[in-house]
Amino acid sequence: MRFFDPEHRSHAARVMRDRGVEALLVIGGNGSMEGAHALWSEHGVAVVGIPASIDNDIGHSRESVGVDTALNTILDACDRISDTARSHHRAFIVEVMGRDCGYLALAGAVATGADAVLLPEKNPERTEVVKRLERLVRHSFSGRRQKRRVLVLKAEGVKIPTEALVAELSEAVADMKHVGVRATVLGHIVRGGNPTFRDRMLASRFGLVAVQAIRAGRSGVMVCWSTSDRGEPTSDAFVRLFGLDSILQETELLTAGTSDLQNERIHRLEAIHGAMAF
């Protein structure tokens, strides 16, 4: 917390200079990038950022280190939950991490074949959510469809408490015999585990380009996984450099749900999913 104080940032920069540290590679999320930006802009410290956040809420980079591992953990948990849901005719609401970004919930919903997903970017209204979930449960377990499970993924950034949502939905479908509604909050289990091949590959490619950028005298930038023609090209066709100023601005748009990248993610995944995203 001391790093929020300009005096302590000055002290950090002095320590680096006194100890002969020539450059700093900052691996982390948007808070880490803000700190890197402060060291660079206020004290001229040579910094290059590497995005690492399971929330996938760092501007300009389509993917951050940790996202794929988190998604695979979510898939494994939802597959197991679906097994017990089918055995007992249950609707499960599964809350996943992501802070104010719904990427993990939406991408997880697509991969698990979930029936619906609740996103903070949509800012869903509580009463309407309960009504729509009630219609979903009734339709899914009706004689016409005869589904054996209903799976709803909910991003933690959605302001409706998960337990309250389960209680209200349970009351709404109380007349449906042999149908239960349950909640599972995956919580910090999503942040752990051994990294997948994709995350290890992504980290290696980010690391190589970041070191090359430092050796070339670049600073105040972050490496990004990007297929656009924006940013600065590197030795890797899929990794580009973006200024930290631009990274922080785009990150604010992501958090607010107004980023072009975030909207493109949502629209593309919604189209693939074909289910209710609200």
Side-chain angles (χ1 to χ4, degrees), residues 50-96:
I50 297 177
S53 169
I54 69 165
D55 304 327
N56 216 20
D57 62 349
I58 304 174
H60 292 306
S61 190
R62 286 186 169 270
E63 193 168 343
S64 300
V65 177
V67 172
D68 190 66
T69 301
L71 279 171
N72 276 276
T73 301
I74 290 170
L75 299 190
D76 181 66
C78 286
D79 286 346
R80 294 170 186 268
I81 288 168
S82 291
D83 287 342
T84 189
R86 292 187 188 97
S87 298
H88 299 283
H89 247 68
R90 285 177 177 161
F92 267 86
I93 298 176
V94 179
E95 180 183 307
V96 302

mmCIF file of all heavy atoms in Angstrom, residues 50-96:
data_model
loop_
_atom_site.group_PDB
_atom_site.id
_atom_site.type_symbol
_atom_site.label_atom_id
_atom_site.label_comp_id
_atom_site.label_asym_id
_atom_site.label_seq_id
_atom_site.Cartn_x
_atom_site.Cartn_y
_atom_site.Cartn_z
ATOM 1 N N ILE A 50 4.171 -7.218 -18.520
ATOM 2 C CA ILE A 50 3.689 -8.504 -19.044
ATOM 3 C C ILE A 50 2.341 -8.776 -18.388
ATOM 4 O O ILE A 50 2.261 -8.886 -17.158
ATOM 5 C CB ILE A 50 4.675 -9.644 -18.733
ATOM 6 C CG1 ILE A 50 6.017 -9.386 -19.429
ATOM 7 C CG2 ILE A 50 4.094 -10.993 -19.157
ATOM 8 C CD1 ILE A 50 7.078 -10.439 -19.123
ATOM 9 N N PRO A 51 1.262 -8.861 -19.157
ATOM 10 C CA PRO A 51 -0.076 -9.022 -18.559
ATOM 11 C C PRO A 51 -0.278 -10.412 -17.968
ATOM 12 O O PRO A 51 -0.122 -11.422 -18.656
ATOM 13 C CB PRO A 51 -1.016 -8.780 -19.744
ATOM 14 C CG PRO A 51 -0.222 -9.176 -20.947
ATOM 15 C CD PRO A 51 1.205 -8.817 -20.629
ATOM 16 N N ALA A 52 -0.615 -10.463 -16.701
ATOM 17 C CA ALA A 52 -0.889 -11.724 -16.013
ATOM 18 C C ALA A 52 -2.063 -11.501 -15.075
ATOM 19 O O ALA A 52 -1.909 -10.922 -13.998
ATOM 20 C CB ALA A 52 0.339 -12.201 -15.246
ATOM 21 N N SER A 53 -3.239 -11.927 -15.498
ATOM 22 C CA SER A 53 -4.451 -11.756 -14.694
ATOM 23 C C SER A 53 -5.512 -12.707 -15.209
ATOM 24 O O SER A 53 -5.837 -12.684 -16.403
ATOM 25 C CB SER A 53 -4.966 -10.310 -14.782
ATOM 26 O OG SER A 53 -6.258 -10.209 -14.222
ATOM 27 N N ILE A 54 -6.063 -13.535 -14.326
ATOM 28 C CA ILE A 54 -7.099 -14.464 -14.781
ATOM 29 C C ILE A 54 -8.355 -13.727 -15.222
ATOM 30 O O ILE A 54 -9.169 -14.275 -15.969
ATOM 31 C CB ILE A 54 -7.460 -15.496 -13.691
ATOM 32 C CG1 ILE A 54 -8.183 -14.838 -12.512
ATOM 33 C CG2 ILE A 54 -6.247 -16.281 -13.241
ATOM 34 C CD1 ILE A 54 -8.877 -15.834 -11.596
ATOM 35 N N ASP A 55 -8.534 -12.479 -14.777
ATOM 36 C CA ASP A 55 -9.747 -11.729 -15.112
ATOM 37 C C ASP A 55 -9.791 -11.331 -16.587
ATOM 38 O O ASP A 55 -10.866 -11.013 -17.102
ATOM 39 C CB ASP A 55 -9.845 -10.466 -14.251
ATOM 40 C CG ASP A 55 -9.799 -10.772 -12.767
ATOM 41 O OD1 ASP A 55 -10.309 -11.842 -12.375
ATOM 42 O OD2 ASP A 55 -9.260 -9.963 -11.998
ATOM 43 N N ASN A 56 -8.658 -11.334 -17.254
ATOM 44 C CA ASN A 56 -8.558 -10.921 -18.655
ATOM 45 C C ASN A 56 -9.125 -9.521 -18.865
ATOM 46 O O ASN A 56 -9.841 -9.245 -19.826
ATOM 47 C CB ASN A 56 -9.282 -11.909 -19.582
ATOM 48 C CG ASN A 56 -8.561 -12.071 -20.915
ATOM 49 O OD1 ASN A 56 -7.376 -11.766 -21.025
ATOM 50 N ND2 ASN A 56 -9.272 -12.547 -21.926
ATOM 51 N N ASP A 57 -8.767 -8.630 -17.946
ATOM 52 C CA ASP A 57 -9.309 -7.263 -17.973
ATOM 53 C C ASP A 57 -8.219 -6.214 -18.158
ATOM 54 O O ASP A 57 -8.344 -5.081 -17.705
ATOM 55 C CB ASP A 57 -10.081 -6.978 -16.680
ATOM 56 C CG ASP A 57 -9.203 -7.063 -15.432
ATOM 57 O OD1 ASP A 57 -8.058 -7.550 -15.533
ATOM 58 O OD2 ASP A 57 -9.668 -6.652 -14.356
ATOM 59 N N ILE A 58 -7.139 -6.586 -18.849
ATOM 60 C CA ILE A 58 -6.054 -5.651 -19.100
ATOM 61 C C ILE A 58 -6.161 -5.171 -20.545
ATOM 62 O O ILE A 58 -6.252 -5.985 -21.474
ATOM 63 C CB ILE A 58 -4.684 -6.302 -18.852
ATOM 64 C CG1 ILE A 58 -4.625 -6.860 -17.420
ATOM 65 C CG2 ILE A 58 -3.562 -5.290 -19.056
ATOM 66 C CD1 ILE A 58 -3.374 -7.633 -17.124
ATOM 67 N N GLY A 59 -6.171 -3.876 -20.732
ATOM 68 C CA GLY A 59 -6.409 -3.283 -22.032
ATOM 69 C C GLY A 59 -5.480 -3.771 -23.134
ATOM 70 O O GLY A 59 -4.303 -4.011 -22.903
ATOM 71 N N HIS A 60 -6.035 -3.900 -24.331
ATOM 72 C CA HIS A 60 -5.354 -4.204 -25.596
ATOM 73 C C HIS A 60 -4.917 -5.657 -25.745
ATOM 74 O O HIS A 60 -4.769 -6.127 -26.878
ATOM 75 C CB HIS A 60 -4.145 -3.294 -25.829
ATOM 76 C CG HIS A 60 -4.497 -1.869 -26.081
ATOM 77 N ND1 HIS A 60 -5.377 -1.477 -27.073
ATOM 78 C CD2 HIS A 60 -4.090 -0.718 -25.470
ATOM 79 C CE1 HIS A 60 -5.499 -0.168 -27.058
ATOM 80 N NE2 HIS A 60 -4.740 0.324 -26.096
ATOM 81 N N SER A 61 -4.689 -6.384 -24.680
ATOM 82 C CA SER A 61 -4.235 -7.765 -24.818
ATOM 83 C C SER A 61 -5.446 -8.698 -24.824
ATOM 84 O O SER A 61 -6.229 -8.726 -23.864
ATOM 85 C CB SER A 61 -3.293 -8.155 -23.679
ATOM 86 O OG SER A 61 -2.681 -9.405 -23.952
ATOM 87 N N ARG A 62 -5.588 -9.472 -25.888
ATOM 88 C CA ARG A 62 -6.729 -10.377 -25.977
ATOM 89 C C ARG A 62 -6.651 -11.483 -24.933
ATOM 90 O O ARG A 62 -7.669 -12.074 -24.598
ATOM 91 C CB ARG A 62 -6.810 -10.999 -27.380
ATOM 92 C CG ARG A 62 -7.304 -10.011 -28.431
ATOM 93 C CD ARG A 62 -7.529 -10.662 -29.775
ATOM 94 N NE ARG A 62 -8.236 -9.730 -30.639
ATOM 95 C CZ ARG A 62 -9.545 -9.646 -30.726
ATOM 96 N NH1 ARG A 62 -10.309 -10.437 -29.982
ATOM 97 N NH2 ARG A 62 -10.128 -8.776 -31.531
ATOM 98 N N GLU A 63 -5.475 -11.763 -24.457
ATOM 99 C CA GLU A 63 -5.326 -12.811 -23.459
ATOM 100 C C GLU A 63 -4.176 -12.466 -22.530
ATOM 101 O O GLU A 63 -3.173 -11.898 -22.951
ATOM 102 C CB GLU A 63 -5.075 -14.161 -24.139
ATOM 103 C CG GLU A 63 -5.212 -15.355 -23.221
ATOM 104 C CD GLU A 63 -5.251 -16.665 -23.994
ATOM 105 O OE1 GLU A 63 -5.497 -16.642 -25.216
ATOM 106 O OE2 GLU A 63 -5.021 -17.718 -23.366
ATOM 107 N N SER A 64 -4.340 -12.813 -21.260
ATOM 108 C CA SER A 64 -3.303 -12.602 -20.259
ATOM 109 C C SER A 64 -2.846 -13.947 -19.721
ATOM 110 O O SER A 64 -3.585 -14.945 -19.784
ATOM 111 C CB SER A 64 -3.841 -11.744 -19.102
ATOM 112 O OG SER A 64 -4.271 -10.487 -19.566
ATOM 113 N N VAL A 65 -1.657 -13.978 -19.186
ATOM 114 C CA VAL A 65 -1.160 -15.204 -18.560
ATOM 115 C C VAL A 65 -2.082 -15.568 -17.389
ATOM 116 O O VAL A 65 -2.401 -14.723 -16.551
ATOM 117 C CB VAL A 65 0.286 -15.014 -18.063
ATOM 118 C CG1 VAL A 65 0.763 -16.276 -17.348
ATOM 119 C CG2 VAL A 65 1.214 -14.673 -19.227
ATOM 120 N N GLY A 66 -2.511 -16.800 -17.335
ATOM 121 C CA GLY A 66 -3.370 -17.282 -16.257
ATOM 122 C C GLY A 66 -4.801 -17.530 -16.676
ATOM 123 O O GLY A 66 -5.518 -18.300 -16.022
ATOM 124 N N VAL A 67 -5.233 -16.900 -17.757
ATOM 125 C CA VAL A 67 -6.636 -17.019 -18.176
ATOM 126 C C VAL A 67 -6.974 -18.446 -18.594
ATOM 127 O O VAL A 67 -8.002 -19.006 -18.193
ATOM 128 C CB VAL A 67 -6.939 -16.040 -19.328
ATOM 129 C CG1 VAL A 67 -8.327 -16.281 -19.899
ATOM 130 C CG2 VAL A 67 -6.829 -14.605 -18.839
ATOM 131 N N ASP A 68 -6.122 -19.055 -19.411
ATOM 132 C CA ASP A 68 -6.429 -20.399 -19.907
ATOM 133 C C ASP A 68 -6.466 -21.413 -18.768
ATOM 134 O O ASP A 68 -7.334 -22.296 -18.737
ATOM 135 C CB ASP A 68 -5.387 -20.816 -20.951
ATOM 136 C CG ASP A 68 -5.789 -22.088 -21.674
ATOM 137 O OD1 ASP A 68 -6.799 -22.052 -22.413
ATOM 138 O OD2 ASP A 68 -5.117 -23.116 -21.490
ATOM 139 N N THR A 69 -5.545 -21.297 -17.823
ATOM 140 C CA THR A 69 -5.541 -22.206 -16.675
ATOM 141 C C THR A 69 -6.817 -22.037 -15.858
ATOM 142 O O THR A 69 -7.439 -23.026 -15.437
ATOM 143 C CB THR A 69 -4.306 -21.946 -15.794
ATOM 144 O OG1 THR A 69 -3.125 -22.140 -16.577
ATOM 145 C CG2 THR A 69 -4.275 -22.887 -14.603
ATOM 146 N N ALA A 70 -7.224 -20.800 -15.628
ATOM 147 C CA ALA A 70 -8.454 -20.538 -14.878
ATOM 148 C C ALA A 70 -9.663 -21.120 -15.586
ATOM 149 O O ALA A 70 -10.544 -21.737 -14.959
ATOM 150 C CB ALA A 70 -8.627 -19.035 -14.670
ATOM 151 N N LEU A 71 -9.732 -20.960 -16.900
ATOM 152 C CA LEU A 71 -10.869 -21.486 -17.656
ATOM 153 C C LEU A 71 -10.917 -23.008 -17.606
ATOM 154 O O LEU A 71 -11.995 -23.602 -17.493
ATOM 155 C CB LEU A 71 -10.807 -21.009 -19.101
ATOM 156 C CG LEU A 71 -11.323 -19.591 -19.343
ATOM 157 C CD1 LEU A 71 -11.014 -19.145 -20.765
ATOM 158 C CD2 LEU A 71 -12.820 -19.507 -19.064
ATOM 159 N N ASN A 72 -9.764 -23.652 -17.678
ATOM 160 C CA ASN A 72 -9.754 -25.109 -17.591
ATOM 161 C C ASN A 72 -10.204 -25.593 -16.219
ATOM 162 O O ASN A 72 -10.866 -26.633 -16.104
ATOM 163 C CB ASN A 72 -8.359 -25.643 -17.931
ATOM 164 C CG ASN A 72 -8.144 -25.791 -19.421
ATOM 165 O OD1 ASN A 72 -8.526 -26.791 -20.018
ATOM 166 N ND2 ASN A 72 -7.566 -24.777 -20.035
ATOM 167 N N THR A 73 -9.876 -24.828 -15.173
ATOM 168 C CA THR A 73 -10.362 -25.168 -13.827
ATOM 169 C C THR A 73 -11.880 -25.023 -13.758
ATOM 170 O O THR A 73 -12.574 -25.863 -13.180
ATOM 171 C CB THR A 73 -9.696 -24.259 -12.777
ATOM 172 O OG1 THR A 73 -8.284 -24.424 -12.845
ATOM 173 C CG2 THR A 73 -10.171 -24.603 -11.378
ATOM 174 N N ILE A 74 -12.408 -23.953 -14.358
ATOM 175 C CA ILE A 74 -13.855 -23.732 -14.383
ATOM 176 C C ILE A 74 -14.549 -24.858 -15.145
ATOM 177 O O ILE A 74 -15.591 -25.382 -14.706
ATOM 178 C CB ILE A 74 -14.173 -22.366 -15.021
ATOM 179 C CG1 ILE A 74 -13.725 -21.235 -14.087
ATOM 180 C CG2 ILE A 74 -15.665 -22.232 -15.336
ATOM 181 C CD1 ILE A 74 -13.770 -19.863 -14.723
ATOM 182 N N LEU A 75 -13.989 -25.262 -16.293
ATOM 183 C CA LEU A 75 -14.595 -26.323 -17.084
ATOM 184 C C LEU A 75 -14.654 -27.629 -16.298
ATOM 185 O O LEU A 75 -15.680 -28.320 -16.305
ATOM 186 C CB LEU A 75 -13.798 -26.546 -18.374
ATOM 187 C CG LEU A 75 -13.682 -25.388 -19.356
ATOM 188 C CD1 LEU A 75 -13.077 -25.858 -20.668
ATOM 189 C CD2 LEU A 75 -15.028 -24.751 -19.608
ATOM 190 N N ASP A 76 -13.552 -27.963 -15.642
ATOM 191 C CA ASP A 76 -13.521 -29.201 -14.870
ATOM 192 C C ASP A 76 -14.564 -29.179 -13.759
ATOM 193 O O ASP A 76 -15.304 -30.158 -13.557
ATOM 194 C CB ASP A 76 -12.121 -29.404 -14.282
ATOM 195 C CG ASP A 76 -12.018 -30.700 -13.495
ATOM 196 O OD1 ASP A 76 -12.130 -31.781 -14.106
ATOM 197 O OD2 ASP A 76 -11.832 -30.628 -12.264
ATOM 198 N N ALA A 77 -14.662 -28.055 -13.052
ATOM 199 C CA ALA A 77 -15.639 -27.944 -11.964
ATOM 200 C C ALA A 77 -17.063 -28.026 -12.493
ATOM 201 O O ALA A 77 -17.913 -28.726 -11.918
ATOM 202 C CB ALA A 77 -15.425 -26.634 -11.207
ATOM 203 N N CYS A 78 -17.344 -27.327 -13.591
ATOM 204 C CA CYS A 78 -18.709 -27.327 -14.143
ATOM 205 C C CYS A 78 -19.093 -28.699 -14.694
ATOM 206 O O CYS A 78 -20.261 -29.104 -14.597
ATOM 207 C CB CYS A 78 -18.837 -26.261 -15.222
ATOM 208 S SG CYS A 78 -18.912 -24.576 -14.576
ATOM 209 N N ASP A 79 -18.133 -29.411 -15.282
ATOM 210 C CA ASP A 79 -18.419 -30.766 -15.755
ATOM 211 C C ASP A 79 -18.803 -31.674 -14.590
ATOM 212 O O ASP A 79 -19.732 -32.490 -14.681
ATOM 213 C CB ASP A 79 -17.204 -31.348 -16.479
ATOM 214 C CG ASP A 79 -17.007 -30.737 -17.859
ATOM 215 O OD1 ASP A 79 -17.937 -30.069 -18.361
ATOM 216 O OD2 ASP A 79 -15.911 -30.920 -18.436
ATOM 217 N N ARG A 80 -18.110 -31.531 -13.478
ATOM 218 C CA ARG A 80 -18.423 -32.346 -12.298
ATOM 219 C C ARG A 80 -19.781 -31.946 -11.709
ATOM 220 O O ARG A 80 -20.570 -32.805 -11.294
ATOM 221 C CB ARG A 80 -17.317 -32.185 -11.244
ATOM 222 C CG ARG A 80 -15.975 -32.753 -11.680
ATOM 223 C CD ARG A 80 -14.852 -32.376 -10.723
ATOM 224 N NE ARG A 80 -13.563 -32.802 -11.224
ATOM 225 C CZ ARG A 80 -12.987 -33.976 -10.948
ATOM 226 N NH1 ARG A 80 -13.621 -34.844 -10.170
ATOM 227 N NH2 ARG A 80 -11.811 -34.283 -11.445
ATOM 228 N N ILE A 81 -20.028 -30.641 -11.667
ATOM 229 C CA ILE A 81 -21.307 -30.167 -11.156
ATOM 230 C C ILE A 81 -22.450 -30.658 -12.044
ATOM 231 O O ILE A 81 -23.516 -31.056 -11.556
ATOM 232 C CB ILE A 81 -21.303 -28.630 -11.063
ATOM 233 C CG1 ILE A 81 -20.394 -28.187 -9.909
ATOM 234 C CG2 ILE A 81 -22.711 -28.072 -10.870
ATOM 235 C CD1 ILE A 81 -20.093 -26.712 -9.896
ATOM 236 N N SER A 82 -22.239 -30.646 -13.351
ATOM 237 C CA SER A 82 -23.273 -31.110 -14.279
ATOM 238 C C SER A 82 -23.596 -32.582 -14.056
ATOM 239 O O SER A 82 -24.752 -33.000 -14.206
ATOM 240 C CB SER A 82 -22.827 -30.882 -15.726
ATOM 241 O OG SER A 82 -22.799 -29.506 -16.042
ATOM 242 N N ASP A 83 -22.583 -33.380 -13.703
ATOM 243 C CA ASP A 83 -22.836 -34.802 -13.428
ATOM 244 C C ASP A 83 -23.840 -34.975 -12.294
ATOM 245 O O ASP A 83 -24.803 -35.735 -12.413
ATOM 246 C CB ASP A 83 -21.525 -35.509 -13.072
ATOM 247 C CG ASP A 83 -20.624 -35.708 -14.282
ATOM 248 O OD1 ASP A 83 -21.140 -35.625 -15.411
ATOM 249 O OD2 ASP A 83 -19.415 -35.945 -14.089
ATOM 250 N N THR A 84 -23.613 -34.268 -11.192
ATOM 251 C CA THR A 84 -24.541 -34.414 -10.058
ATOM 252 C C THR A 84 -25.874 -33.744 -10.346
ATOM 253 O O THR A 84 -26.917 -34.198 -9.893
ATOM 254 C CB THR A 84 -23.918 -33.852 -8.755
ATOM 255 O OG1 THR A 84 -24.745 -34.204 -7.655
ATOM 256 C CG2 THR A 84 -23.789 -32.335 -8.796
ATOM 257 N N ALA A 85 -25.860 -32.666 -11.133
ATOM 258 C CA ALA A 85 -27.112 -31.993 -11.484
ATOM 259 C C ALA A 85 -28.015 -32.917 -12.291
ATOM 260 O O ALA A 85 -29.233 -32.965 -12.077
ATOM 261 C CB ALA A 85 -26.823 -30.714 -12.264
ATOM 262 N N ARG A 86 -27.437 -33.658 -13.230
ATOM 263 C CA ARG A 86 -28.231 -34.582 -14.046
ATOM 264 C C ARG A 86 -28.812 -35.714 -13.218
ATOM 265 O O ARG A 86 -29.905 -36.209 -13.501
ATOM 266 C CB ARG A 86 -27.365 -35.160 -15.172
ATOM 267 C CG ARG A 86 -26.946 -34.149 -16.230
ATOM 268 C CD ARG A 86 -26.243 -34.830 -17.389
ATOM 269 N NE ARG A 86 -25.687 -33.843 -18.305
ATOM 270 C CZ ARG A 86 -24.422 -33.445 -18.280
ATOM 271 N NH1 ARG A 86 -23.584 -33.958 -17.385
ATOM 272 N NH2 ARG A 86 -23.996 -32.539 -19.137
ATOM 273 N N SER A 87 -28.074 -36.116 -12.200
ATOM 274 C CA SER A 87 -28.534 -37.228 -11.367
ATOM 275 C C SER A 87 -29.715 -36.845 -10.486
ATOM 276 O O SER A 87 -30.488 -37.710 -10.068
ATOM 277 C CB SER A 87 -27.381 -37.727 -10.481
ATOM 278 O OG SER A 87 -26.322 -38.219 -11.276
ATOM 279 N N HIS A 88 -29.844 -35.544 -10.185
ATOM 280 C CA HIS A 88 -30.857 -35.107 -9.218
ATOM 281 C C HIS A 88 -31.826 -34.068 -9.763
ATOM 282 O O HIS A 88 -32.576 -33.464 -9.001
ATOM 283 C CB HIS A 88 -30.162 -34.553 -7.970
ATOM 284 C CG HIS A 88 -29.305 -35.550 -7.267
ATOM 285 N ND1 HIS A 88 -29.809 -36.541 -6.459
ATOM 286 C CD2 HIS A 88 -27.944 -35.743 -7.291
ATOM 287 C CE1 HIS A 88 -28.818 -37.283 -5.981
ATOM 288 N NE2 HIS A 88 -27.677 -36.822 -6.474
ATOM 289 N N HIS A 89 -31.824 -33.844 -11.090
ATOM 290 C CA HIS A 89 -32.744 -32.872 -11.689
ATOM 291 C C HIS A 89 -32.596 -31.512 -11.020
ATOM 292 O O HIS A 89 -33.549 -30.967 -10.470
ATOM 293 C CB HIS A 89 -34.199 -33.359 -11.551
ATOM 294 C CG HIS A 89 -34.818 -33.702 -12.863
ATOM 295 N ND1 HIS A 89 -34.407 -34.773 -13.605
ATOM 296 C CD2 HIS A 89 -35.799 -33.099 -13.588
ATOM 297 C CE1 HIS A 89 -35.117 -34.847 -14.712
ATOM 298 N NE2 HIS A 89 -35.968 -33.849 -14.743
ATOM 299 N N ARG A 90 -31.418 -30.959 -11.106
ATOM 300 C CA ARG A 90 -31.154 -29.696 -10.422
ATOM 301 C C ARG A 90 -30.692 -28.602 -11.378
ATOM 302 O O ARG A 90 -30.121 -28.873 -12.432
ATOM 303 C CB ARG A 90 -30.094 -29.887 -9.329
ATOM 304 C CG ARG A 90 -30.641 -30.600 -8.103
ATOM 305 C CD ARG A 90 -29.588 -30.839 -7.075
ATOM 306 N NE ARG A 90 -30.162 -31.471 -5.886
ATOM 307 C CZ ARG A 90 -29.466 -32.128 -4.975
ATOM 308 N NH1 ARG A 90 -28.159 -32.242 -5.110
ATOM 309 N NH2 ARG A 90 -30.060 -32.659 -3.934
ATOM 310 N N ALA A 91 -30.967 -27.378 -10.960
ATOM 311 C CA ALA A 91 -30.436 -26.195 -11.631
ATOM 312 C C ALA A 91 -29.324 -25.646 -10.749
ATOM 313 O O ALA A 91 -29.534 -25.401 -9.553
ATOM 314 C CB ALA A 91 -31.524 -25.150 -11.821
ATOM 315 N N PHE A 92 -28.147 -25.469 -11.319
ATOM 316 C CA PHE A 92 -27.004 -24.959 -10.575
ATOM 317 C C PHE A 92 -26.631 -23.573 -11.071
ATOM 318 O O PHE A 92 -26.525 -23.355 -12.284
ATOM 319 C CB PHE A 92 -25.795 -25.879 -10.736
ATOM 320 C CG PHE A 92 -25.665 -26.920 -9.653
ATOM 321 C CD1 PHE A 92 -26.328 -28.131 -9.760
ATOM 322 C CD2 PHE A 92 -24.889 -26.669 -8.530
ATOM 323 C CE1 PHE A 92 -26.212 -29.084 -8.770
ATOM 324 C CE2 PHE A 92 -24.768 -27.620 -7.534
ATOM 325 C CZ PHE A 92 -25.436 -28.832 -7.653
ATOM 326 N N ILE A 93 -26.430 -22.657 -10.142
ATOM 327 C CA ILE A 93 -25.853 -21.356 -10.447
ATOM 328 C C ILE A 93 -24.421 -21.378 -9.928
ATOM 329 O O ILE A 93 -24.183 -21.529 -8.731
ATOM 330 C CB ILE A 93 -26.649 -20.213 -9.792
ATOM 331 C CG1 ILE A 93 -28.075 -20.193 -10.349
ATOM 332 C CG2 ILE A 93 -25.962 -18.870 -10.035
ATOM 333 C CD1 ILE A 93 -28.974 -19.164 -9.713
ATOM 334 N N VAL A 94 -23.475 -21.264 -10.828
ATOM 335 C CA VAL A 94 -22.060 -21.366 -10.485
ATOM 336 C C VAL A 94 -21.422 -19.984 -10.632
ATOM 337 O O VAL A 94 -21.400 -19.416 -11.725
ATOM 338 C CB VAL A 94 -21.335 -22.378 -11.394
ATOM 339 C CG1 VAL A 94 -19.859 -22.453 -11.024
ATOM 340 C CG2 VAL A 94 -21.993 -23.743 -11.285
ATOM 341 N N GLU A 95 -20.910 -19.460 -9.525
ATOM 342 C CA GLU A 95 -20.249 -18.155 -9.549
ATOM 343 C C GLU A 95 -18.762 -18.334 -9.778
ATOM 344 O O GLU A 95 -18.102 -19.133 -9.107
ATOM 345 C CB GLU A 95 -20.480 -17.405 -8.237
ATOM 346 C CG GLU A 95 -19.813 -16.033 -8.207
ATOM 347 C CD GLU A 95 -19.987 -15.320 -6.878
ATOM 348 O OE1 GLU A 95 -21.141 -15.196 -6.420
ATOM 349 O OE2 GLU A 95 -18.972 -14.891 -6.302
ATOM 350 N N VAL A 96 -18.238 -17.587 -10.755
ATOM 351 C CA VAL A 96 -16.807 -17.656 -11.059
ATOM 352 C C VAL A 96 -16.177 -16.283 -10.859
ATOM 353 O O VAL A 96 -16.860 -15.262 -10.862
ATOM 354 C CB VAL A 96 -16.558 -18.146 -12.501
ATOM 355 C CG1 VAL A 96 -17.176 -19.514 -12.708
ATOM 356 C CG2 VAL A 96 -17.103 -17.158 -13.524
#
